[in-house]
Amino acid sequence: MSFADGLNALAAKIRDKKGGIETEEATKNAFIMPFISSVLGYDVFDPSEVVPELVADVGVKKGEKIDYAIMQNGAVQILIECKKIGEPLNLAHAAQLFRYFAVTSARIAILTNGQVYQVYTDGDAPNRMDEKPFLVFDLLDLDRTVVPEIQKLSKESFDLDSVVSAAEELKYIGLIKRILANEIKEPSDDWIRYFVARAYDGKATQKVVDQFRGLVDKATAQYIADQVNDRLKSALGDEAGHVESAVRATPAEPVDVEVQRKPVATPDPDIVTTEEELDGFNIVRAIAVSEVAAERIVYRDAKSYFAVLLDDNNRKPVIRLHLNGKSVRFVTTFEDANKTGVRHDIETVVDIYKVADQIRATIRSYNIDSAAPIAVS
C-alpha cells in the first residue's frame, strides 16, 4: 500500500466509524494507532519503534504518561498526545507535550484527536516546544500540498533535519493561509478598510465600510472564479472544442432507476448550453478536484436544468444548475443518502462557491468506497 493509499483508507474509516467512537481510548485504537502503523509505517507492537504510555518524570510531576513515543536508534524522536475524536485541540491539551519535550530527545511533538493533527517543533527556542504548530492537517479535508510533509514523518522517509528546516516556512505559510481563509469567509473591518483606502476617495466611515463589505465579498469571489477558470482553460485547452471534448453534453434525465434502462436520446436541438452554464460547470469542477480527478466531473444539459454528474452517471448527481430563469436562479445540491434535492437561491454563478462544502461532501459519499488516490507531488 502506498503512502497516499494509507491516508485514503484511514480517512474512509474515520468517516465511517467516527460517529460510534465515544472515548479517547477508542479513538487511539480505531484511528491513531492505524495512523502510526498503516500510514507512517511504524510497528506499534515493537517497543524499539513505538512506546505507548511513556513515563518521564518532570519536576514535581511524577508518573505522568505521554500516549505514544516513536523511537529511532533508542532515542525518542516523536511524541504523540491523543484526545477523543471531535474534541477541539488547544494549548491546554498540550501541557504534557510541553513538559515532555524539555526532558526527552524528541524534537517533534504531535497533538491529535485522530482526525486533526497539529505538529510542533522547537524552532523558536532550543528544547522548548513552540506554542504554534508548524503543520496542521485534517484527514477528512486534506490539503494535498501537505502530503509530502506528512510523509517526512514516516519510518521510510523520516529525516529530522528536513522536517525541522521546513518547519518555520510551513508554520507561517499555514498561518497566512488560515488568515486569508478567515478573511474571505468573514471579512474583518480591517480587511475591508484596506480596500476602502485604495478604492475610495472619501473618508472610510463605518457606513462606507459596511457598504464595501458586500463589494469586497463579490469581488473576491469573482477574482477566485476568474483564476480558476483561467487555470481550467489552460489545463483543458483554450479552444472551446477542447473543453467540449473533455466533457459530455447529453440530455439530462431524472435520477431514476427506470430511466437508466432507457437508451440515450438524440440530443434535443432546443437545448442550448450557455456560456454562463459552462462557467458554472468550471466552478463546480474546480471545487470537485480536491476530491476526484477533473475528468470524472461531466455535465449533461437539459431544457429545465444543467446537471453536473460524477462519472457521467445519473445516479451520481453532484449539483444541478437552474440558470435560465428570467428573474430567479438557483442550484440544487444532493446532501443525503436518498439524494433529495436541496435548493439554494443564487444571484450569479460565482455564488456556487457558497455550496462548495455540500458539493465536496456529495462527491465523497459516492467516492468513499473507491478511495481515489491523493496526488503526491
Side-chain angles (χ1 to χ4, degrees):
M1 181 182 292
S2 71
F3 188 79
D5 289 337
L7 283 170
N8 279 306
L10 181 56
K13 182 179 181 182
I14 294 171
R15 290 190 188 100
D16 186 43
K17 304 294 186 182
K18 65 180 292 186
I21 302 297
E22 298 180 352
T23 66
E24 180 183 311
E25 204 61 34
T27 300
K28 290 194 287 187
N29 292 335
F31 305 138
I32 299 171
M33 286 180 65
F35 177 79
I36 297 171
S37 59
S38 300
V39 176
L40 297 185
Y42 297 98
D43 186 348
V44 293
F45 301 109
D46 183 349
S48 68
E49 291 191 17
V50 180
V51 178
E53 304 274 306
L54 176 72
V55 177
D57 292 339
V58 185
V60 296
K61 295 283 186 178
K62 302 295 182 181
E64 278 194 331
K65 300 175 181 178
I66 204 78
D67 289 307
Y68 298 102
I70 294 178
M71 314 290 290
Q72 190 177 70
N73 299 324
V76 178
Q77 297 292 343
I78 302 174
L79 297 171
I80 303 177
E81 178 68 11
C82 308
K83 301 300 172 186
K84 187 184 74 172
I85 187 78
E87 188 171 340
L89 304 177
N90 54 51
L91 284 180
H93 289 154
Q96 284 174 264
L97 281 178
F98 275 109
R99 290 194 290 270
Y100 274 66
F101 202 90
V103 298
T104 68
S105 56
R107 294 194 64 193
I108 304 295
I110 298 175
L111 179 64
T112 180
N113 60 14
Q115 175 183 332
V116 179
Y117 285 74
Q118 296 180 351
V119 189
Y120 299 79
T121 187
D122 58 351
D124 296 336
N127 300 318
R128 185 179 183 277
M129 194 178 93
D130 297 340
E131 293 188 358
K132 294 181 179 178
F134 70 85
L135 182 62
V136 178
F137 58 92
D138 183 338
L139 292 178
L140 296 190
D141 187 18
L142 194 59
D143 183 344
R144 299 182 185 202
T145 63
V146 307
V147 172
E149 305 305 325
I150 303 171
Q151 191 167 12
K152 289 178 182 178
L153 301 173
S154 68
K155 178 181 177 180
E156 182 179 354
S157 306
F158 187 75
D159 182 346
L160 181 61
D161 291 338
S162 177
V163 173
V164 173
S165 64
E168 184 173 14
E169 180 177 319
L170 285 170
K171 178 172 70 174
Y172 289 116
I173 288 175
L175 285 171
I176 292 169
K177 286 172 66 175
R178 288 193 286 276
I179 291 169
L180 285 172
N182 289 335
E183 291 291 1
I184 290 172
K185 186 176 181 180
E186 296 181 6
S188 65
D189 281 0
D190 288 340
W191 177 259
I192 303 300
R193 290 180 190 277
Y194 175 87
F195 294 101
V196 171
R198 286 157 177 77
Y200 182 69
D201 293 331
K203 186 177 180 181
T205 63
Q206 188 60 47
K207 182 179 179 180
V208 171
V209 170
D210 292 339
Q211 289 174 338
F212 262 77
R213 190 176 301 278
L215 299 177
V216 171
D217 184 47
K218 288 184 178 179
T220 302
Q222 289 176 18
Y223 176 77
I224 293 172
D226 290 343
Q227 294 300 303
V228 168
N229 286 334
D230 286 346
R231 285 175 179 256
L232 283 170
K233 288 177 182 178
S234 176
L236 300 174
D238 291 331
E239 297 180 12
H242 291 175
V243 176
E244 291 294 328
S245 64
V247 295
R248 293 183 56 189
T250 55
E253 301 169 352
V255 184
D256 190 304
V257 175
E258 292 302 317
V259 173
Q260 293 297 314
R261 295 172 182 164
K262 296 178 182 179
V264 177
T266 303
D268 190 329
D270 292 334
I271 297 174
V272 177
T273 300
T274 67
E275 190 69 30
E276 188 175 41
E277 287 172 329
L278 290 176
D279 286 344
F281 169 73
N282 284 335
I283 290 173
V284 174
R285 186 180 248 193
I287 293 168
V289 293
S290 66
E291 307 298 329
V292 296
E295 59 268 19
R296 295 181 63 187
I297 304 298
V298 303
Y299 73 77
R300 295 188 187 185
D301 202 358
K303 289 182 181 180
S304 57
Y305 58 80
F306 180 97
V308 182
L309 311 171
L310 178 66
D311 298 330
D312 199 16
N313 188 339
N314 266 333
R315 297 184 185 181
K316 297 181 179 181
V318 174
I319 192 171
R320 287 178 181 172
L321 313 183
H322 305 260
L323 304 177
N324 296 328
K326 293 183 179 180
S327 58
V328 178
R329 296 180 177 189
F330 64 96
V331 299
T332 302
T333 58
F334 303 89
E335 302 168 27
D336 60 29
N338 297 321
K339 295 297 161 244
T340 305
V342 178
R343 172 172 169 159
H344 309 266
D345 291 334
I346 62 173
E347 294 182 7
T348 70
V349 291
V350 176
D351 290 337
I352 293 172
Y353 282 108
K354 295 180 179 179
V355 295
D357 289 343
Q358 291 93 321
I359 291 171
R360 293 191 183 103
T362 298
I363 293 171
R364 284 197 294 267
S365 72
Y366 299 138
N367 207 47
I368 190 167
D369 293 330
S370 60
I374 297 172
V376 180
S377 58

